[in-house]
Amino acid sequence: MAGAAAAVTRRAATLLLSSRFRTPASRVASLIPIVGACNRRFLCASSVSARTAEPAEAASQLGETVKDFRKRLRIDEVKGGPDQGLDWVGKDLTVRGWVRTCRVQSSVTFIEVNDGSCLSNTQCVMTSDAEGYDQIESGAVTTGASILIEGTVVPSQGAKQKIELKVTRLVVIGRSDPTTYPIQKKRATREFLRSIAHLRPRTNTFSAVTRVRNALAYATHKFFQENGFVWVSSPIITASDCEGAGEQFYVTTLIQNDTEGNNFNVSKIPTTKDGKIDWSQDFFGKPAFLTVSGQLNGETYACALSDIYTFGPTFRAENSNTSRHLAEFWMIEPELAFADLNDDMACATAYLQYVVKYVLENCKEDMEFFNTWIEKGIINRLNDVVEKSFVQLSYTDAIDLLVKSKKKFEFPVKWGLDLQSEHERYITEQVFGGSPVIIRDYPKEIKAFYMRQNDDEKTVAAMDLLVPRVGELIGGSQREERLDYLEARLEELNLNKESYWWYLDLRRFGSVPHAGFGLGFERLVQFATGIENIRDAIPFPRTPGSADF
């Protein structure tokens, strides 16, 4: 009988969950009690009645309903207005955050609290008659400790802020040992802060970088959504190399620890008769990698939805220990159907101006901080991006310009060689006075296989958008939509056409001219904040020899 009841239960669940059998709500209501009745020996009476009751009625019998979510008031909402919080005077306020400083004086104690919502702290003024003052006396309120403070907003007697909080109650939530807390009032080097990346968001610099990074990400989605693009999630694991550079991380299950936790013996990796790795026994049945780009996958959706964009993590196994390279970074990659290189350049220009303007308008306090402490003049530089027209010139003209400059560069300047960062910065900073510059029509030998070949058969319809201080920020191209040209290019580069069969299908079935670009998000963060090292533009940098946290 129990087996029959279980079978009925399983059948009922199948009926309810299957999209092929749309059970009406009335039928669902009548079905559940029947199932319960069949299995009554194994269900208490309260369980059966709860199944048949309305949600509110069941909640009254078994528990409480979940409370409504309410956004917690943040410091930036109090102090971020034009009057810097003066309209809050006389109102009661609760602040939760971390102690930046605590100064105990004879008659009053000043506590600076920050909740991460903005650069500004809330100055809290506490006297000995306030509830929780014993926590001050015991030494529990130290830098790094998390606390809750309740009080009344009053005009500040100091010159650094317009308002302060007169404390009525203090609660220490989490203590912090002042003798071992690594972030002290003295300035720390960026190298040291990278070694404590789990705590560096509590510093002014990295909290500001994180907020600007967040604003840039939000503005990215806002720009593309407002312009009719569809966001597509591209896969992180791939079997193809978008760039053809071969600098990829393998994803494999062939290397495992044994049952005792010891390192797997290399001799246990399966091989073929000729001594090569037998990928047929791997998880995917063939070599797989962490993606270097979502572009190829993005193209498939552009050829169905017209305009799409991807925004996700990408990986390069490039052994470059420089201030410009990461092994893991985020890429923004839009694709535009029925578009050529001119459309691509116009989109890249509009996008960059949009997100920079958004940050200038919505991160004013953080940008003032960067302007004072990181890069003097950064606000003017970014305003130039928003207001000035972008310049475009061909790669050939750019090479001529560099040669005629007579400037001694570290890397040689010659037609057919790729431009280096020093060349790119010279063009934007010196020749065009800080304006972004787009270089187009590069030699095909130094560009990827998917770029459309120009009529001169020497160059491809590619473009790089260069900006001051960073150099190349955006790289894009019109994609090769002609099947015969694309197949010839794959053969020329000795790339396996079978690996790209699905990509070639886009050229077989309703091919259209299309274009797109890729933007390294961390370089955009660098550009917008003035941060020199890309490792400081991402929360947890992954670089050669370093994968901490």
Side-chain angles (χ1 to χ4, degrees):
M1 183 67 182
V8 172
T9 302
R10 286 194 298 271
R11 175 60 180 158
T14 302
L15 286 170
L16 291 172
L17 294 175
S18 174
S19 61
R20 293 181 60 195
F21 300 94
R22 301 285 185 184
T23 308
S26 59
R27 175 64 179 140
V28 173
S30 62
L31 179 61
I32 294 177
I34 294 173
V35 175
C38 293
N39 204 21
R40 189 166 295 157
R41 288 184 58 190
F42 307 100
L43 297 174
C44 65
S46 61
S47 298
V48 176
S49 61
R51 285 171 177 258
T52 62
E54 293 295 323
E57 182 184 343
S60 66
Q61 295 178 32
L62 301 177
E64 298 180 357
T65 57
V66 177
K67 69 177 183 179
D68 292 338
F69 174 75
R70 290 184 175 86
K71 183 171 72 73
R72 183 181 301 134
L73 188 67
R74 312 281 184 178
I75 291 175
D76 69 318
E77 296 175 88
V78 176
K79 301 182 67 175
D83 57 3
Q84 298 178 41
L86 286 174
D87 58 337
W88 282 80
V89 170
K91 297 179 181 179
D92 293 335
L93 189 65
T94 299
V95 174
R96 298 172 178 84
W98 293 266
V99 176
R100 288 293 176 88
T101 61
C102 180
R103 295 179 288 118
V104 180
Q105 298 183 356
S106 57
S107 59
V108 68
T109 296
F110 295 95
I111 308 170
E112 295 277 344
V113 181
N114 189 283
D115 67 358
S117 63
C118 60
L119 199 65
S120 299
N121 304 323
T122 293
Q123 178 166 279
C124 305
V125 182
M126 190 173 188
T127 54
S128 58
D129 59 342
E131 182 182 344
Y133 189 76
D134 58 313
Q135 298 293 301
I136 299 290
E137 294 176 318
S138 68
V141 183
T142 60
T143 300
S146 58
I147 62 174
L148 178 149
I149 287 186
E150 296 174 350
T152 304
V153 178
V154 299
S156 179
Q157 301 300 310
K160 292 184 178 180
Q161 60 277 320
K162 295 289 183 68
I163 60 169
E164 57 194 22
L165 196 65
K166 185 178 179 181
V167 179
T168 57
R169 176 172 175 257
L170 177 148
V171 177
V172 174
I173 299 172
R175 291 179 174 241
S176 176
D177 184 353
T179 63
T180 57
Y181 185 60
I183 301 176
Q184 299 298 327
K185 211 168 185 182
K186 63 180 181 179
R187 296 190 70 177
T189 65
R190 303 279 166 74
E191 289 78 9
F192 169 72
L193 290 174
R194 282 177 216 132
S195 71
I196 54 166
H198 60 305
L199 295 174
R200 69 177 182 172
R202 302 191 191 184
T203 66
N204 285 339
T205 297
F206 287 96
S207 64
V209 168
T210 304
R211 284 187 293 270
V212 169
R213 182 185 173 99
N214 172 71
L216 288 168
Y218 177 76
T220 293
H221 285 290
K222 198 167 185 291
F223 171 82
F224 288 116
Q225 293 293 327
E226 289 177 357
N227 284 281
F229 285 70
V230 178
W231 178 56
V232 173
S233 301
S234 56
I236 291 176
I237 299 174
T238 180
S240 62
D241 180 0
C242 176
E243 299 296 332
E247 296 167 336
Q248 295 177 280
F249 290 102
Y250 276 90
V251 175
T252 179
T253 57
L254 296 180
I255 302 175
Q256 301 176 346
N257 291 334
D258 60 26
T259 55
E260 297 179 357
N262 298 318
N263 288 332
F264 189 84
N265 194 318
V266 176
S267 63
K268 295 184 178 181
I269 297 176
T271 59
T272 59
K273 292 180 179 180
D274 56 1
K276 296 180 179 179
I277 294 175
D278 186 358
W279 294 108
S280 66
Q281 298 189 45
D282 204 1
F283 187 89
F284 295 106
K286 59 183 176 181
F289 317 91
L290 295 179
T291 185
V292 299
S293 170
Q295 177 204 313
L296 302 189
N297 298 101
E299 284 187 54
T300 67
Y301 273 76
C303 290
L305 305 180
S306 290
D307 296 331
I308 66 93
Y309 69 105
T310 71
F311 188 178
T314 52
F315 309 84
R316 298 281 172 91
E318 185 177 358
N319 192 18
S320 295
N321 256 311
T322 75
S323 62
R324 290 166 47 84
H325 292 88
L326 290 167
E328 175 185 297
F329 55 97
W330 286 65
M331 287 282 286
I332 298 162
E333 297 177 288
E335 286 291 327
L336 299 81
F338 308 100
D340 61 15
L341 186 63
N342 291 319
D343 298 312
D344 200 32
M345 293 189 293
C347 180
T349 299
Y351 165 77
L352 183 59
Q353 290 180 320
Y354 184 96
V355 297
V356 168
K357 183 179 181 182
Y358 184 88
V359 164
L360 290 172
E361 291 178 348
N362 293 276
C363 302
K364 292 182 178 179
E365 186 186 34
D366 291 324
M367 293 311 302
E368 289 290 348
F369 171 81
F370 293 128
N371 200 59
T372 302
W373 298 103
I374 305 299
E375 180 196 339
K376 294 189 184 300
I378 186 173
I379 293 177
N380 290 335
R381 174 167 64 78
L382 294 178
N383 274 320
D384 284 345
V385 172
V386 175
E387 296 169 1
K388 290 184 177 181
S389 298
F390 287 23
V391 178
Q392 63 157 309
L393 68 157
S394 70
Y395 167 87
T396 300
D397 290 339
I399 292 295
D400 289 342
L401 186 153
L402 292 168
V403 171
K404 291 177 181 178
S405 71
K406 304 298 183 182
K407 181 177 173 60
K408 289 188 177 181
F409 295 104
E410 179 183 353
F411 293 93
V413 176
K414 182 182 178 182
W415 202 98
L417 299 180
D418 207 355
L419 297 178
Q420 302 298 319
S421 178
E422 60 173 341
H423 308 142
E424 297 166 342
R425 291 187 58 179
Y426 175 79
I427 291 171
T428 58
E429 296 170 13
Q430 302 300 319
V431 179
F432 291 100
S435 292
V437 177
I438 296 179
I439 309 294
R440 60 177 293 167
D441 300 325
Y442 281 79
K444 71 174 185 178
E445 283 75 15
I446 60 174
K447 289 298 182 180
F449 72 91
Y450 52 75
M451 297 185 178
R452 193 183 201 276
Q453 185 171 301
N454 289 327
D455 292 340
D456 62 11
E457 298 184 355
K458 297 191 302 181
T459 62
V460 289
M463 67 92 177
D464 286 342
L465 193 156
L466 317 178
V467 292
R469 285 182 60 87
V470 173
E472 179 194 341
L473 183 62
I474 294 175
S477 71
Q478 182 175 341
R479 316 312 189 188
E480 183 58 79
E481 84 280 10
R482 300 166 295 185
L483 178 61
D484 53 343
Y485 278 77
L486 187 57
E487 287 182 324
R489 187 68 174 139
L490 287 170
E491 291 175 1
E492 184 180 335
L493 295 174
N494 294 319
L495 295 174
N496 185 1
K497 286 196 293 185
E498 293 181 2
S499 298
Y500 297 94
W501 65 270
W502 54 273
Y503 188 67
L504 294 170
D505 268 0
L506 300 180
R507 280 73 182 168
R508 294 188 179 100
F509 309 121
S511 184
V512 298
H514 58 289
F517 63 81
L519 177 145
F521 190 54
E522 283 68 34
R523 288 194 182 179
L524 178 61
V525 175
Q526 278 187 282
F527 178 65
T529 62
I531 291 292
E532 292 185 354
N533 197 313
I534 199 168
R535 302 176 192 203
D536 300 326
I538 192 170
F540 301 102
R542 300 292 185 248
T543 56
S546 177
D548 298 326
F549 310 101

